[in-house]
Amino acid sequence: IPLGEEREAYRLDILAGADVRRSFDLASPTALYAGADETADFGGPQTALTLRLAQIGATTGPGFVRTQTVPVL
């Protein structure tokens, strides 16, 4: 639930090192990264992805950023 905001908004970046391979602007804390997009971005399936996520405020812009590598199941 957005605290003090009219709506929820997030920015999710999928990284390869320091390079952003794909970005999503989201209206909920969920995203689908299709296999075809993964292949286009990396050349094939990955065993792990590094993600960077921030909630976006209407007046303040991006908040604190969380970066984490997660296994791909």
Side-chain angles (χ1 to χ4, degrees), residues 21-55:
R21 292 294 173 104
R22 189 169 296 265
S23 291
F24 296 91
D25 290 320
L26 306 167
S28 69
T30 61
L32 175 64
Y33 186 42
D37 292 337
E38 182 180 4
T39 299
D41 295 343
F42 292 97
Q46 302 297 292
T47 58
L49 293 171
T50 302
L51 309 175
R52 181 171 59 203
L53 179 69
Q55 189 170 12

Side-chain angles (χ1 to χ4, degrees), residues 1 14-15 17 19 27-29 32 50 58 71:
I1 299 173
I14 298 176
L15 306 174
D19 297 329
S28 69
L32 175 64
T50 302

